[in-house]
Amino acid sequence: MSSFSLHESKEIKGGGGLATVALHDEEDGFEMRSRSSKLRGTEADERDMEILGRKQQLNASRSSHLCFRDAPLTSLTAEFGLINGGTAGLIWGYLITWAGYSLVFASIAEMAAMAPTSGGQYHWVSEFAPRRIQRFLSYMTGWISVLGWQTGCASLAFLAGTVIQGLIVINNANYVFENWHGTLLVIAITVFAIIFNSFLAKKLPMVEGIVLIIHLLGFFAVLIALWVLSPRSDPTSVFTQFSNGGGWSTTGTSVMVGLLSPVYALIGSDSAVHMSEEIKDAGVVLPRAMMWAMGLNGFLGFVMLITFCFTLGSIDEALGTETGYPFIQVFYDSTNSNVGTSILTAILIVSLTSACISTVATVSRQTWSFARDHGLPFSSTIAYVMPGWNIPLNAVMVTLLVTVLLSLINIGSSVAFNAIGSLAITALLGSYIISISVLILRRVRNLPLPARRWTLGRAGIFVNIGAVAFLLVVWVFTLFPIAIPVTPATMNWNCLMFGSAMIFAVAYYAVWGRKSYIAPVLLVKRNI
């Protein structure tokens, strides 16, 4: 592989014109010096990195169980779907979402096999999009993906923090649910996750394995407790009675709006993609793990959702709970005990907190990768990897800063902050749509695709088209408010936030990004 020093440059035609791209080496921190063998994965990993024009900077010590998400227990936090769709809407909507996501993540898994890089979607767009738009489209995809994961991290910490508040309500009748309490809890949980991703980073693979075991044990503990202790609803009402609590013109529209609940629960199976430079034999292990995780997460989540719907009782009473979360009320109704409710809720809090730890890892790698290609403000600082640490520590701290700043929104308006979760979904789905669409275009044009060790074969084009069709429908409904008529309290501020972020990204590109951004395709050497 050819290399370029600090004072050398390479003139390449791309992105609609001639771009002179300076490819910096270790003095800027974007290319590493020769590292010890302990950083390297398999020979296949080294070859993948060489083809992609990268060098190993991070420890290749992560395991594929990163793909296992918290979907089984997160399925309990389904307030949005109960309002719009009811139990029947939640169940059938979950199955539709699971099937659609299976197509989506199968497509992503194949692209990960083609190019296992922390950049993920924006790298694939850079490599597969038509030449005249690949640079700008890749840049925008990078911004969308970073936006999605950063806001997703804040949303997950907020979910964990407010569940803790709900638990306090159960145990202290005099507790007043204050927004600023939630903000402090968000910050505390995020700091806890940051510690594991910085000072305890070397122990993180072991911790993740322990957390996975705890997660599975907790799943069965909650499942058994609910089935044994709770009264059960009639199967006919659970599977056939839809609700339209949002006041929409048709129940069908209400059900589609309520899809946000299962979409949120199942999203993020691509998280391990952004850790791919730290997974051994990522080109084959990663796509296989993603598909196994999608199946296992989906199945366990469906089992938990069925359990929740059968033991829910009155939807109106569950939605009216002072805890803020219907599942906490279900726990209390089942156990008739503060202690029992606390134990079951604590299991979910542990699951959500552990998910925050792995999400911070994913977010920081996505942010680090985009900064490595000069896509963000202060890229040189964010992309720096401290010698000896072998983790993107600065990107980890940026994630902490962003989450803290976003959590302050909750002090002024919990409604505005709730839109953060919807914004994360909109952004991540958008990055999926763009990356899979350019793959479809490449297939339709019969252009060659990179060699890979995991493939969808001839079914690839049909899987890709089905994935985009599903994503486009769901993406539209992520922008809908929870109910009509629309008031400041029911408004989905996601559309304003997403639009503002995209305007800023375009403005930054026009002023600085078009001069500094290095499209990943310029580094790729498929002919070696």
Side-chain angles (χ1 to χ4, degrees):
M1 179 179 64
S2 58
S3 61
F4 300 86
S5 71
L6 180 65
H7 304 291
E8 293 175 319
S9 64
K10 184 178 182 182
E11 189 171 68
I12 305 174
K13 187 174 182 179
L18 290 175
T20 301
V21 182
L23 305 179
H24 305 295
D25 60 11
E26 73 264 10
E27 292 189 36
D28 278 339
F30 295 106
E31 298 294 344
M32 59 165 271
R33 296 184 179 94
S34 296
R35 301 289 190 189
S36 61
S37 59
K38 66 179 181 180
L39 290 182
R40 298 173 185 150
T42 64
E43 290 183 4
D45 291 327
E46 292 181 18
R47 177 166 175 78
D48 284 338
M49 295 292 284
E50 186 177 8
I51 290 172
L52 298 176
R54 307 293 187 184
K55 291 183 180 179
Q56 194 76 36
Q57 289 182 271
L58 310 178
N59 278 315
S61 60
R62 307 305 285 270
S63 59
S64 57
H65 62 243
L66 274 166
C67 296
F68 189 88
R69 304 295 290 173
D70 58 327
L73 293 176
T74 306
S75 299
L76 293 172
T77 58
E79 179 182 3
F80 206 91
L82 285 177
I83 296 173
N84 289 289
T87 56
L90 271 174
I91 291 171
W92 299 113
Y94 185 96
L95 290 175
I96 293 171
T97 303
W98 184 17
Y101 266 149
S102 296
L103 301 177
V104 172
F105 291 116
S107 301
I108 291 176
E110 186 177 37
M111 287 189 285
M114 297 177 191
T117 170
S118 297
Q121 291 91 309
Y122 84 88
H123 175 101
W124 303 329
V125 171
S126 176
E127 195 167 352
F128 302 148
R131 181 181 296 271
R132 61 187 177 83
I133 61 171
Q134 63 186 192
R135 187 164 185 257
F136 177 71
L137 193 60
S138 166
Y139 168 85
M140 291 302 298
T141 305
W143 267 91
I144 292 172
S145 190
V146 170
L147 173 68
W149 278 109
Q150 288 287 355
T151 54
C153 183
S155 172
L156 192 58
F158 177 75
L159 181 59
T162 49
V163 169
I164 293 174
Q165 284 187 282
L167 186 56
I168 296 174
V169 170
I170 284 288
N171 290 280
N172 184 358
N174 297 321
Y175 176 70
V176 179
F177 209 104
E178 297 284 358
N179 286 359
W180 66 269
H181 294 173
T183 294
L184 290 178
L185 287 168
V186 168
I187 295 173
I189 290 168
T190 306
V191 169
F192 181 75
I194 293 295
I195 291 173
F196 275 94
N197 279 274
S198 52
F199 302 107
L200 301 179
K202 293 182 180 180
K203 302 293 184 182
L204 195 53
M206 179 187 70
V207 172
E208 287 167 344
I210 295 173
V211 166
L212 176 58
I213 295 173
I214 295 174
H215 184 91
L216 290 174
L217 292 175
F219 168 81
F220 286 107
V222 172
L223 190 74
I224 293 170
L226 290 179
W227 279 113
V228 170
L229 299 175
S230 303
R232 295 164 200 166
S233 300
D234 175 60
T236 301
S237 63
V238 169
F239 286 102
T240 63
Q241 288 187 5
F242 297 85
S243 66
N244 184 4
W248 299 96
S249 58
T250 67
T251 301
T253 302
S254 182
V255 171
M256 295 303 294
V257 173
L259 282 179
L260 186 65
S261 286
V263 166
Y264 183 82
L266 289 171
I267 202 168
S269 287
D270 65 310
S271 60
V273 167
H274 307 294
M275 307 295 296
S276 58
E277 294 179 30
E278 298 169 72
I279 296 176
K280 290 185 177 180
D281 207 15
V284 65
V285 170
L286 178 57
R288 287 176 181 173
M290 286 179 63
M291 296 312 298
W292 274 105
M294 190 67 238
L296 183 59
N297 277 329
F299 174 73
L300 294 180
F302 184 66
V303 170
M304 185 58 73
L305 182 62
I306 289 289
T307 301
F308 174 69
C309 290
F310 266 92
T311 59
L312 175 64
S314 169
I315 292 180
D316 291 336
E317 290 182 8
L319 289 173
T321 176
E322 294 181 358
T323 66
Y325 288 99
F327 75 87
I328 299 180
Q329 190 63 46
V330 170
F331 289 164
Y332 183 78
D333 293 341
S334 300
T335 62
N336 290 314
S337 164
N338 287 356
V339 174
T341 302
S342 298
I343 292 173
L344 294 178
T345 305
I347 291 172
L348 185 61
I349 292 170
V350 170
S351 175
L352 291 171
T353 303
S354 64
C356 286
I357 294 173
S358 59
T359 299
V360 166
T362 296
V363 175
S364 60
R365 271 59 173 187
Q366 170 71 90
T367 304
W368 165 76
S369 182
F370 196 44
R372 177 175 60 178
D373 291 325
H374 299 263
L376 296 171
F378 311 108
S379 285
S380 299
T381 300
I382 297 173
Y384 179 70
V385 176
M386 187 181 299
W389 285 66
N390 305 319
I391 58 171
L393 184 60
N394 289 356
V396 171
M397 294 305 168
V398 167
T399 301
L400 172 61
L401 177 62
V402 171
T403 301
V404 169
L405 292 177
L406 288 175
S407 71
L408 297 179
I409 296 175
N410 183 54
I411 297 176
S413 171
S414 60
V415 174
F417 191 85
N418 283 332
I420 294 293
S422 179
L423 174 60
I425 295 173
T426 300
L428 289 177
L429 295 187
S431 72
Y432 302 158
I433 291 170
I434 297 172
S435 56
I436 299 174
S437 294
V438 297
L439 178 61
I440 292 173
L441 184 60
R442 195 170 183 89
R443 280 191 152 119
V444 169
R445 292 182 171 182
N446 287 320
L447 297 174
L449 292 171
R452 63 270 192 200
R453 292 180 289 158
W454 191 93
T455 178
L456 294 173
R458 294 181 179 179
I461 183 66
F462 304 105
V463 172
N464 299 157
I465 291 174
V468 171
F470 164 76
L471 288 169
L472 286 173
V473 173
V474 172
W475 190 86
V476 170
F477 283 99
T478 63
L479 301 172
F480 275 50
I482 191 172
I484 54 173
V486 179
T487 66
T490 60
M491 171 67 179
N492 187 348
W493 297 97
N494 164 25
C495 51
L496 176 63
M497 294 177 179
F498 184 77
S500 299
M502 292 304 95
I503 291 173
F504 177 82
V506 172
Y508 183 82
Y509 182 82
V511 178
W512 292 289
R514 63 187 177 86
K515 303 173 185 176
S516 61
Y517 177 58
I518 301 174
V521 69
L522 303 181
L523 306 176
V524 173
K525 299 171 180 63
R526 292 286 178 189
N527 58 343
I528 63 173

